[in-house]
Amino acid sequence: MKKIFAAALVAAATSMSVSGALAQSATLAQVKSRGILHCGSGTGLAGFGLPDAQGNWTGIDVDMCRAVAAAIFNDPAKVKFIPLSAKDRFTSLQSGEVDLLSRTTTWTMSRDTSLGLNFAGINYYDGQGFMVRKKLGVDSVLKLAGASICTQQGTTTELNLADYFRANNLKYEVVAFASNTETVKAYESGRCDAFTTDASGLYAERLTLSAPADHIVLPEIISKEPLGPVVRHGDDVWLDVVKWTHFAMLNAEELGVTKANVDEMMKSPNPEIKRLLGTEGKYGEAIGLTNDWAYRIIKHVGNYGEAFERNVGQGSLLKIARGQNALWTKGGLQYAPPIR
Amino acid sequence: MTDATLENAPYAFVRKETLEQEAAPLSVAGPVAWVRNNLFSGPVNSLMTLVCLYIVVTSVPDLVRFYFIDAVWSGTNRDACLADKVGRPVGACWAYIADRFQYFIYGSYPVPQRWRVNIVFAMFALGVVWMLWDSAPWKKVGAFFFFVMLPISAYLLLLGGNGAESFLRFLILLSFALAVLYLVLSFVPNLARFWVPPALLAVEQAAPPWQRFHGPKRLILMALVIFGLIAVLEDTAGLPRVDTGLWGGMMVTFLIAAVGIVFSLPLGVILALGRRSRLPIIQLLSVIFIEFVRGVPLITVLFMANTMLPLFVPQEYSPDRLLRPLIGVALFAAAYMAEVIRGGLQAIPKGQYEGAMSLGLGYWQMMRLIILPQALRIVIPGIVNTFIGLFKDTTLVTIVGIFDFLRTIEATLVDPTWATPTTRATGYAFAAMFYFLCCWGMSRYSIAVEKRLAAGQKR
């Protein structure tokens, strides 16, 4: 009985959200008339979305929203951040309360299809990683045979760990804890040899250890966690706006256009840069923006590399290496289709 | 027969002088006796004392060492609180609290606009002192200030923007019109005969013109002064709109608690009276509301308000994200308050009702003058209990993405700028102190009020 009722409720909610999505097929027009972008952000994750001492939101996911706002309004401050928990993020997007969800959301098939969402690219390739003590002398996960590994209970992390060690025929011992804090404490007190969670989280957790320099993050990434901005199904123009905002930042990095030199680059004879910055062609108008949309993004937020280094890379305390997030020209996975 | 006094004592063995008073034996008075009576009066108590003593001895020195002796009091980033950077064991990282203190108070409220929050805080403090300090003058003006002027001013100052501006203009016009009205009434008091009872009107008429209608005139003057000052502030500094999404920290915690407390008491009284009413519809509605609200957890209400409501209501019409939990918390507290107050109403003997009726008092007069003052006094502990519970429940709004005080602390805990092994313990200790001080203050105040109101009951 209870289940039937719940199913009816879900069905009702889904049908309403679908009709809502159809009615709002012009999210861009709505954002423009409202004068501010509603962006679903996380509730606080170092490097991705976090209020600073003045209360301003910073992070790589936050910069994604600021870039979209810059492209539309020429003002990166025209964003209202609505902090959403992992539970209610998709409901808020479906109900139209946020125009864009940029909150370390993993792109999975079920989310992309049955939840009625569209992923507009991948702005961070994350995956599960391992941290060990330096003095253990281990430089690869494959050398962790027989090790005890601290992890959080009931997460996909635990399952990935089991899969990976079984696939590689390694023995290991899992020590699982209910909360992340407990897990880190246990690892630090020497209860286990290694600690595993998403790689981006490992760097943040390392800083809370009493001697961060004594610990290293191993190079292997054992799972795929592609994180990216999400929009509703059914508004292709809006999907294009968000998708190409991300691509513009990638293309800018590839072409060497930065926040500092973007004004000089306006005079560049390179046709690719000309098309990017809107001095040639009408590419911005095709997605309902002005032709200098990419110029605005780079001027206010910077290219992808700048956003990365500032928030999670060498310019931040996390000091995460580019790794898979390097451009395809530098051995990474970040690849943007050309603007032409 | 003569009395046996010292003077006429016939025998040498009768002592002639009074003995010096001796100190009470050690087993009855003094520290040893106190310890025996209070700490070791029996085997069970002795055991309890030893256990408590053991806990204190094992925990307090470490706590003092961690939170005070080894603590770091100043610094600009995590290096100040890292043991190997400082070269000594590091306890609590108070430097982190000092660095993020502004954020804990204001949340993301824009820095150049924070003076507006300060003004509201100052007005709130003034109102609280005015209302709570027993011998403060002009209590009625104080109540008007706290319950009418403060919420309006807080709305105008904190939110700002075009809506607030036109509302302010309307309010100034309104108070100006009222001022003119009462100026006229001062000279032609007879005009007030439509709404002032004749007896009171006669009193006003007997006074000289400038002293007539003293009460309303004071309130209007205060409204004019406050609204005028806000208008001046708006003209000079400007009050641009600050979206509620940027509000946070203690400001939001106090806001939710204050709205909950201020609205739940009158609503609770009405619901309690409604539930005891003989009118079936009113009774049914009150019962349905109270039982429904008590039957669902607060988290559900908040979750429905902030996650599900937008699914059913079009974006343009759905209320503000902060307003929704404010209303939810206030209604929720009102239902609990109603049941507490109903307990007080039931404790009043029937004779009080009959006595009031035999004096010819109507229903509302009876309630206002006879029943409620007694009923509310009886349930002060219950009322304060509800208030304290409400204050602590404000932390639940974090699950719908509102950055209240506790959430601002948690958000800074993951910030790499201050990521150290002791940051977490420091942050939560600070939160605990804040909540303890607020709740303890409320409970102490309620005890004082109880004592004062119970003075007439003592024999």
Side-chain angles (χ1 to χ4, degrees):
Chain A
M1 181 63 212
K2 217 172 173 183
K3 267 190 184 160
I4 295 171
F5 181 69
L9 198 72
V10 168
T14 324
S15 65
M16 293 201 86
S17 67
V18 168
S19 63
L22 283 178
Q24 297 158 345
S25 59
T27 312
L28 181 61
Q30 206 191 358
V31 171
K32 277 182 178 169
S33 73
R34 197 197 294 133
I36 195 161
L37 174 73
H38 285 180
C39 178
S41 66
T43 50
L45 181 63
F48 290 85
L50 193 67
D52 67 5
Q54 279 77 43
N56 299 317
W57 284 85
T58 56
I60 195 166
D61 282 346
V62 167
D63 278 352
M64 186 70 220
C65 294
R66 294 207 189 279
V68 173
I72 301 171
F73 300 115
N74 198 16
D75 181 358
K78 289 203 169 154
V79 192
K80 177 180 174 181
F81 290 101
I82 299 177
L84 299 172
S85 72
K87 285 193 303 290
D88 52 10
R89 53 183 162 179
F90 299 124
T91 324
S92 287
L93 182 63
Q94 284 159 347
S95 69
E97 192 151 32
V98 297
D99 308 309
L100 163 67
L101 182 70
S102 183
R103 185 203 177 281
T104 55
T105 305
T106 307
W107 188 345
T108 66
M109 181 168 173
S110 61
R111 285 173 180 177
D112 202 352
T113 54
S114 54
L115 276 183
L117 305 174
N118 273 339
F119 283 78
I122 296 165
N123 70 338
Y124 190 92
Y125 287 94
D126 208 348
Q128 189 174 338
F130 292 82
M131 178 160 62
V132 294
R133 281 180 195 75
K134 247 182 200 161
K135 62 170 188 273
L136 216 59
V138 169
D139 57 1
S140 157
V141 180
L142 297 172
K143 293 183 183 167
L144 278 177
S148 55
I149 297 167
C150 278
T151 185
Q152 204 179 332
Q153 265 167 11
T155 55
T156 49
T157 320
E158 207 179 344
L159 304 175
N160 293 335
L161 181 69
D163 286 353
Y164 185 81
F165 274 71
R166 204 173 57 194
N168 287 293
N169 213 2
L170 295 169
K171 276 201 169 57
Y172 72 107
E173 183 204 343
V174 169
V175 188
F177 297 88
S179 81
N180 200 34
T181 325
E182 277 177 85
T183 319
V184 177
K185 274 265 173 288
Y187 166 70
E188 189 173 20
S189 65
R191 176 74 187 77
C192 31
D193 304 314
F195 164 60
T196 180
T197 187
D198 282 352
S200 59
L202 279 182
Y203 291 91
E205 293 296 349
R206 188 167 68 162
L207 288 170
T208 67
L209 302 176
S210 50
D214 293 353
H215 304 265
I216 53 164
V217 175
L218 298 177
E220 281 93 345
I221 298 294
I222 66 163
S223 72
K224 288 190 284 188
E225 305 281 347
L227 312 178
V230 197
V231 296
R232 278 182 295 277
H233 244 312
D235 190 343
D236 291 353
V237 177
W238 180 242
L239 174 65
D240 288 342
V241 169
V242 179
K243 190 162 63 183
W244 281 96
T245 301
H246 176 55
F247 289 154
M249 290 171 80
L250 284 177
N251 277 323
E253 187 186 4
E254 196 179 326
L255 297 169
V257 183
T258 64
K259 201 173 175 176
N261 72 7
V262 65
D263 286 313
E264 277 169 53
M265 286 291 187
M266 287 295 269
K267 293 172 224 127
S268 162
N270 183 337
E272 282 188 87
I273 294 178
K274 281 186 152 191
R275 285 195 293 268
L276 173 71
L277 297 180
T279 49
E280 194 179 293
K282 295 198 182 316
Y283 298 98
E285 283 172 12
I287 51 172
L289 302 175
T290 54
N291 284 328
D292 65 344
W293 61 289
Y295 167 82
R296 293 171 171 188
I297 295 170
I298 300 155
K299 181 73 189 166
H300 293 296
V301 182
N303 66 34
Y304 179 78
E306 287 177 292
F308 188 96
E309 298 298 351
R310 181 172 64 228
N311 293 307
V312 295
Q314 301 309 313
S316 73
L317 284 162
L318 296 177
K319 309 242 182 289
I320 301 179
R322 280 297 283 273
Q324 290 175 323
N325 291 295
L327 290 179
W328 63 288
T329 48
K330 290 175 188 157
L333 294 172
Q334 288 291 3
Y335 182 99
I339 295 176
R340 63 179 312 132
Chain B
M1 190 177 138
T2 48
D3 287 339
T5 59
L6 289 175
E7 286 73 32
N8 60 14
Y11 307 111
F13 58 81
V14 175
R15 194 196 289 272
K16 285 214 171 72
E17 67 280 8
T18 331
L19 274 179
E20 276 297 304
Q21 191 175 0
E22 274 190 47
L26 279 180
S27 60
V28 178
V32 176
W34 185 89
V35 165
R36 256 185 75 170
N37 287 337
N38 292 294
L39 302 179
F40 297 98
S41 62
V44 178
N45 287 351
S46 305
L47 196 67
M48 294 287 280
T49 303
L50 288 177
V51 169
C52 293
L53 209 62
Y54 174 75
I55 293 172
V56 167
V57 166
T58 48
S59 64
V60 167
D62 284 348
L63 282 178
V64 170
R65 178 183 302 281
F66 184 82
Y67 283 112
F68 297 101
I69 299 173
D70 285 348
V72 176
W73 300 92
S74 63
T76 53
N77 59 31
R78 60 193 291 269
D79 288 349
C81 294
L82 287 175
D84 45 343
K85 293 263 166 64
V86 188
R88 66 177 175 90
V90 165
C93 186
W94 295 115
Y96 140 75
I97 300 287
D99 185 56
R100 290 298 159 98
F101 199 62
Q102 299 272 325
Y103 180 63
F104 296 153
I105 296 176
Y106 306 104
S108 295
Y109 209 87
V111 180
Q113 302 294 329
R114 285 182 181 170
W115 56 269
R116 289 155 59 171
V117 186
N118 291 339
I119 292 181
V120 175
F121 272 143
M123 288 177 75
F124 181 68
L126 176 72
V128 165
V129 170
W130 204 340
M131 292 304 293
L132 301 193
W133 186 24
D134 195 25
S135 51
W138 297 351
K139 276 283 189 185
K140 277 185 184 161
V141 184
F144 180 74
F145 173 79
F146 192 75
F147 290 107
V148 180
M149 297 310 293
L150 182 62
I152 295 177
S153 314
Y155 165 75
L156 295 173
L157 283 168
L158 293 181
L159 193 63
N162 290 334
E165 196 187 325
S166 36
F167 185 52
L168 176 64
R169 208 163 284 158
F170 165 75
L171 285 172
I172 290 179
L173 276 179
L174 181 72
S175 27
F176 203 73
L178 282 173
V180 172
L181 174 70
Y182 273 92
L183 203 65
V184 174
L185 281 179
S186 302
F187 294 100
V188 200
N190 213 16
L191 281 176
R193 66 178 180 275
F194 301 111
W195 66 91
V196 178
L200 289 177
L201 195 60
V203 174
E204 303 288 0
Q205 273 168 332
W210 59 90
Q211 281 181 3
R212 283 173 190 160
F213 299 106
H214 202 56
K217 275 201 269 185
R218 275 193 306 196
L219 303 186
I220 293 168
L221 184 67
M222 180 164 76
L224 269 180
V225 169
I226 291 179
F227 293 144
L229 284 177
I230 295 177
V232 169
L233 280 176
E234 200 198 331
D235 265 6
T236 51
L239 299 175
R241 187 183 161 87
V242 178
D243 196 274
T244 54
L246 298 173
W247 301 15
M250 286 181 199
M251 174 187 150
V252 160
T253 294
F254 281 131
L255 179 75
I256 299 171
V259 168
I261 287 173
V262 167
F263 281 93
S264 68
L265 192 57
L267 265 179
V269 169
I270 290 171
L271 283 170
L273 292 178
R275 192 167 184 170
R276 283 171 60 82
S277 165
R278 290 213 197 95
L279 306 173
I281 293 181
I282 292 181
Q283 192 195 12
L284 188 70
L285 288 179
S286 305
V287 169
I288 289 177
F289 178 82
I290 292 171
E291 293 305 331
F292 177 74
V293 171
R294 288 205 306 171
V296 292
L298 180 56
I299 291 189
T300 320
V301 175
L302 295 176
F303 201 70
M304 278 301 283
N306 267 27
T307 312
M308 300 302 279
L309 189 72
L311 281 175
F312 310 124
V313 181
Q315 259 299 286
E316 306 84 82
Y317 303 114
S318 70
D320 184 88
R321 273 184 75 85
L322 182 63
L323 187 64
R324 289 179 234 164
L326 274 182
I327 296 172
V329 167
L331 292 182
F332 202 81
Y336 281 87
M337 190 59 77
E339 287 300 279
V340 169
I341 291 169
R342 193 166 65 96
L345 291 174
Q346 278 171 348
I348 306 295
K350 203 151 189 257
Q352 295 287 327
Y353 291 87
E354 288 165 351
M357 282 186 259
S358 68
L359 284 176
L361 298 180
Y363 177 79
W364 290 109
Q365 280 175 319
M366 171 173 79
M367 284 302 162
R368 193 165 57 86
L369 300 171
I370 309 284
I371 306 300
L372 279 177
Q374 300 185 69
L376 290 181
R377 202 202 67 224
I378 297 174
V379 291
I380 285 177
I383 292 177
V384 175
N385 220 7
T386 312
F387 284 166
I388 290 178
L390 168 71
F391 187 79
K392 289 191 282 195
D393 277 352
T394 58
T395 52
L396 290 177
V397 300
T398 57
I399 59 152
V400 290
I402 289 164
F403 275 61
D404 80 324
F405 173 66
L406 190 63
R407 183 77 205 115
T408 55
I409 288 196
E410 283 179 339
T412 54
L413 289 181
V414 296
D415 189 343
T417 321
W418 283 104
T420 71
T422 61
T423 308
R424 196 165 282 273
T426 316
Y428 283 123
F430 180 63
M433 282 192 312
F434 170 77
Y435 285 106
F436 177 76
L437 280 181
C438 292
C439 297
W440 188 67
M442 278 194 263
S443 98
R444 293 311 299 180
Y445 179 73
S446 88
I447 291 175
V449 171
E450 264 178 76
K451 274 193 186 147
R452 197 176 79 222
L453 295 183
Q457 307 281 305
K458 281 189 188 137
R459 290 172 208 285

